[in-house]
Each structure stands twice: as structure tokens, then as C-alpha cells.
Amino acid sequence: MAKADKINFSTPSGFPEFLPSEKRLELYLLDTIRRVFESYGFTPIETPAVERLEVLQAKGNQGDNIIYAIDPILPPNRQAERDKAGETGSEARALKFDQTVPLAAYIARHLNELTFPFARYQMDVVFRGERAKDGRFRQFRQCDIDVVARRELSLLYDAQMPAIISEIFEAVNIGDFLIRINNRKILTGFFKSVGIAENKIKSCIGIIDNLEKIGEVKVKQELEKEGILAEQTQKIIDFIKIDGTVDEVLDKLKHLAVNMPEAEQFSLGVAEIETVIAGVRNLGVAENRFCIDLAIARGLDYYTGTVYETTLLGHEALGSICSGGRYEELVGTFIGEKMPGVGISIGLTRLISRLLKAGILNTLAATPAQVMVVNMQEDLMPIYLNVSQMLRKAGINVITSFDKRGLGKQFQLAEKQGIQFCIIIGSEEAAAQKSSLKDLKTGEQVEVSLENLAVEIKKIIA
């Protein structure tokens, strides 16, 4: 093949692929997250990677610029069929950009087959048609949980979310983190109380949501562009900067609610967040793991109540590592019935990328194998195979070296894959039903009977 005709096999921009050590880290995190999700009774589902475009555009999407519309390449005769079938309209399709909107469609499709409240988890890949840059991908894996009910959903489900977040991040040991909690009703009610017009509130919340990214000066400028007066802007800024302990912030909010009788939504939001905080405490979440942060807004339109963002302390520049909130009308968009829900999402691919780069996490060994049975003599291969199977049945991951090569090269191969222990059986060991167990890190080598080999290895690697 001429050089000019060579195929460009590099990965498309924004579409990650993993080396074995990176993929093993992802699987470890997925297993940890799954165990926590299932300990709270969440059940797994899967939705299609492809949804109808009108479904993804139904409510609360983040703008058409992130939707990856797909248009199959068809020969001219098939394209005419497609046009005739209306696939450029109601049948137009796109890749899902998150798990929440597809969940709403899933519930609508299976309404009579599900039990409510319906608590599900998903750990699927999603796609976003936005410009790829460092730490942001066009394809990435999200780990989501949501609870959806018919008509009413207890606020204790909202309280359960910080408990789950806390349990996950403590299990993976990534350092100190803070779950920041707010309620959209509090923001909406306060904006109304300072005279912000109803049709301006959502855009103002979106601006506030960018406070950490763009800074206070830029937020003031953006609010001014929306026609918000300087006096109103300052009141908003002063409000979202209210801080203190959880109880101190609650007291300040309740005091404001008393003096804001016309803002019914504000009072409702304060009552809700107080209930949620009480539930979080009853679930045993440590006080240093959560706070009330009135600047947390979550920009998506469908959030209506409790909202969450989780920050890694000392690494705030990484942004939110887990976020979510409560929504009231998303599922109802498809079935015309009130179905409130609450959920959280971990953008796992982005999180792994950020934590590896910051040195907070490290990749795992390239192989899950814990030991290698080296090949000393071809005629002893039946023994090597037998020993390998014996160890596997004892729950030990084993690589058997089939290729005859120098012992030093076999040790190098084991070390390169992160395998610490090698089992050496020559003719003398085979005759005596013994083996030598070599620790490649320390160089120490001990003699172990084949009968006790599995027990001794498990003692070492435990």
C-alpha cells in the first residue's frame, strides 16, 4: 500500500480508549459503585444508545449543540425510502447525551411493567456533540441512580443521595470531599422576592450556576445583560454568599422566610432542605461531608427542588465529581402524569481522567493475574496446567507461561504486567511434589509443597 493510501487509525477526537491498566481501574470503580448502589436496593436497567431526536429534545436538554444526531449513510435507492418513511422528521435519531431523559422515556414505555417508587441504576456510555478538550469527551461513561414515583416522592429519597455519594467516595479513598446541597425553590423564591420577572428566573439561575467558572464580576455582567438592576444583582450575590455551619445557614434561611411572606416557594424550599438535612444526618453522613451552598443551582431546566454538587477538597479546579437533583415534570412530559424523581450522576470517564492527571488515583496492574507459573521444561507442561487450574479453583488469578524462553525473560514479562509472584517447578520439584515461590519485588524465594501452594499464596496476597 502506498504511503498516501495509508488509513488513519488514530482515535477520533473526544473518543477515549483505555490501556489494560486504565480499564482495570475503571472496572474496579464500577464494581465499587455498583455494590453501593445495590446496597440501597437500586436495580440495573439499560436503555438504547440511540433515541428518537424528539425524545432528547423534549425537555431540559443542554442545547442542540451537544446532541449527536445520526444520519445513516444509505445508497440513493434506500435514501429515498428513508425520506418517504419520514425519518428526517419524527424518525430522526440521535445518541443519548445523558441517562435522565432516556430514563423518562423508558418509564413511559414500561409504565405498567414497573413497580413504583422505581429505583434504578445505569452505568452506560453517553455521547455529546461538543468540542473535545482536556478532561471533556464526546463519549464517556456515566453512573446514574434515580428514584421515580407516581404522584408523590418522599424527601427521604433526596436525603439518601448524599449518603450514597459519601459511601462511594469513602470506599474509593480519593481524599476529602464535600457534598454541597441546595434547593431550586429557594433560589426561585428569592429571585421573585427581589422583583426578578418570572420569565427571567431560569436564565438567572443558569448564570448563577456558572459562578465558580466565570467569577463574581462576570456573573454581575451577565445578569446586567438580562436586564437585572444593579440593586437586584447585589442582593442576589449577597444571598448566594451566605455561609456558616449547616445549622447557621438553616437559621438564616428560616429568618429570611419569616420576613418574606409573599415568597411561598422560598419557604417551601427552606422546609424541604431542612427535612433533607435531617435525613442526611439520620443516615449517618459525617458533618464534614456535606453543607448547604446557596450558589449551587444546576443549570438544567428540569431540576425543581433539591440539587447537589460534590467537590474534592484541595482540588476544587476539577469541578463537580458527582451532581444531580430532584425533578417533578420530566417523566410527565411523555405521559402527562405527575411523576417526581430524584437522582445523581457520576461522569466516570471524566472523573478518572481528572483524578489520574492530578495524581489522586493510580492505574492498576495491566493484568488481574496474581501469579505466573513459569515454563521450566516443555515435558512438565501437564504439571504446570494442573497446578494452574488448582490455583484458579482456589480463587487465585493465574497466567501460565506456555512459551519456552529464558527464566529471566519470563520474570521480566511477569514484572511488566505487574505480577509479583512466580511459581517455579523443575524436574526435581516435580518429583518431590514441591515448588519454589519467588517474590519478584523482594527477590525472596521459598519452597512450598504443591498441596499447600494455594493456601500459602492466599496468605501472602491477602
Side-chain angles (χ1 to χ4, degrees):
M1 184 183 287
K3 187 174 181 180
D5 296 326
K6 281 188 176 178
I7 295 171
N8 180 358
F9 54 80
S10 62
T11 55
S13 176
F15 291 83
E17 63 180 5
F18 298 111
L19 290 169
S21 58
E22 296 166 334
K23 185 62 182 179
R24 289 198 64 231
L25 173 62
E26 184 194 48
L27 291 175
Y28 159 72
L29 293 172
L30 285 170
D31 286 343
T32 303
I33 294 166
R34 181 186 293 109
R35 282 197 301 272
V36 176
F37 285 171
E38 292 189 351
S39 76
Y40 285 81
F42 287 81
T43 189
I45 67 165
E46 185 172 328
T47 57
V50 175
E51 284 282 0
R52 297 177 189 275
L53 182 60
E54 63 182 306
V55 166
L56 298 179
Q57 292 177 324
K59 185 176 179 66
N61 71 54
Q62 299 173 0
D64 287 345
N65 62 308
I66 72 161
I67 291 180
Y68 239 127
I70 58 174
D71 191 12
I73 299 173
L74 299 173
N77 61 320
R78 291 291 312 283
Q79 183 62 46
E81 292 174 19
R82 180 175 180 270
D83 293 341
K84 188 175 180 181
E87 291 189 353
T88 53
S90 63
E91 292 295 319
R93 293 161 293 224
L95 296 167
K96 61 183 179 184
F97 64 83
D98 78 351
Q99 314 276 29
T100 311
V101 177
L103 170 65
Y106 175 93
I107 290 172
R109 292 191 288 260
H110 299 281
L111 188 64
N112 297 322
E113 302 164 70
L114 302 175
T115 302
F116 294 90
F118 177 55
R120 79 84 173 91
Y121 73 85
Q122 269 182 278
M123 297 194 282
D124 294 349
V125 171
V126 299
F127 303 85
R128 296 194 177 177
E130 55 188 350
R131 186 171 66 86
K133 54 185 178 181
D134 185 38
R136 295 190 72 85
F137 302 96
R138 290 170 172 167
Q139 172 188 311
F140 57 96
R141 189 174 300 279
Q142 277 189 324
C143 301
D144 286 24
I145 51 171
D146 286 84
V147 183
V148 176
R150 304 187 81 161
R151 291 173 288 281
E152 299 295 333
L153 180 68
S154 169
L155 286 168
L156 290 178
Y157 287 107
D158 297 41
Q160 205 170 238
M161 295 298 164
I164 293 168
I165 296 170
S166 181
E167 213 166 309
I168 288 170
F169 290 128
E170 285 176 359
V172 298
N173 195 26
I174 60 171
D176 290 333
F177 57 88
L178 186 64
I179 305 161
R180 301 149 73 193
I181 307 169
N182 196 12
N183 190 297
R184 286 281 287 263
K185 292 185 180 72
I186 292 174
L187 290 176
T188 301
F190 184 80
F191 285 4
K192 285 181 179 177
S193 75
V194 297
I196 307 298
E198 186 84 37
N199 63 348
K200 296 281 187 180
I201 289 176
K202 282 186 179 178
S203 60
C204 289
I205 286 176
I207 293 168
I208 293 301
D209 191 48
N210 286 321
L211 177 63
E212 288 188 346
K213 295 177 185 175
I214 64 176
E216 186 178 317
V217 172
K218 187 68 174 174
V219 163
K220 288 181 176 179
Q221 291 172 351
E222 292 298 314
L223 289 172
E224 186 181 346
K225 287 179 186 177
E226 287 291 323
I228 309 304
L229 300 176
E231 182 183 355
Q232 294 171 313
T233 295
Q234 193 55 54
K235 286 180 180 178
I236 291 170
I237 295 295
D238 291 343
F239 175 73
I240 63 175
K241 289 171 75 173
I242 291 174
D243 62 2
T245 67
V246 169
D247 290 323
E248 286 170 349
V249 175
L250 277 174
D251 286 343
K252 290 173 186 177
L253 290 174
K254 286 189 278 188
H255 177 74
L256 283 171
V258 169
N259 295 288
M260 206 187 294
E262 75 283 0
E264 183 181 342
Q265 208 167 11
F266 182 90
S267 298
L268 180 57
V270 172
E272 286 185 1
I273 203 168
E274 187 173 23
T275 300
V276 170
I277 292 298
V280 170
R281 284 172 165 160
N282 289 332
L283 284 162
V285 181
E287 291 287 328
N288 65 333
R289 294 301 195 198
F290 66 95
C291 72
I292 296 174
D293 188 335
L294 299 174
I296 299 302
R298 302 297 301 145
L300 290 173
D301 286 351
Y302 52 68
Y303 289 124
T304 57
T306 313
V307 285
Y308 322 89
E309 285 195 2
T310 308
T311 306
L312 195 57
L313 298 179
H315 300 274
E316 287 80 4
L318 296 176
S320 178
I321 58 174
C322 178
S323 56
R326 175 177 277 246
Y327 44 88
E328 301 291 332
E329 301 172 0
L330 182 59
V331 180
T333 300
F334 299 103
I335 63 172
E337 177 185 322
K338 183 184 177 184
M339 297 195 73
V342 63
I344 54 172
S345 176
I346 302 172
L348 190 62
T349 307
R350 290 176 175 174
L351 179 60
I352 291 173
S353 171
R354 292 168 180 171
L355 296 183
L356 285 175
K357 190 171 182 180
I360 299 165
L361 282 181
N362 296 307
T363 56
L364 302 185
T367 175
Q370 296 154 303
V371 298
M372 175 186 280
V373 177
V374 301
N375 185 353
M376 295 287 288
Q377 300 172 212
E378 291 290 340
D379 62 316
L380 295 179
M381 186 55 69
I383 293 176
Y384 301 150
L385 295 176
N386 184 268
V387 168
S388 298
Q389 289 299 84
M390 176 187 71
L391 296 176
R392 290 184 186 114
K393 287 177 181 177
I396 299 165
N397 300 332
V398 182
I399 284 180
T400 313
S401 183
F402 295 143
D403 298 322
K404 184 69 176 74
R405 62 183 82 185
L407 192 58
K409 288 189 176 180
Q410 292 186 63
F411 290 160
Q412 287 175 4
L413 179 63
E415 285 183 304
K416 189 175 182 180
Q417 296 179 85
I419 299 171
Q420 185 175 350
F421 300 99
C422 283
I423 297 165
I424 304 165
I425 304 172
S427 55
E428 290 184 11
E429 289 91 352
Q433 287 292 291
K434 293 181 179 180
S435 68
S436 291
L437 180 61
K438 184 177 180 66
D439 185 331
L440 297 180
K441 281 189 177 178
T442 65
E444 183 183 355
Q445 189 167 310
V446 295
E447 192 175 80
V448 184
S449 70
L450 295 183
E451 184 182 5
N452 294 326
L453 185 57
V455 173
E456 292 302 315
I457 291 173
K458 291 181 93 167
K459 283 181 185 176
I460 295 169
I461 64 176

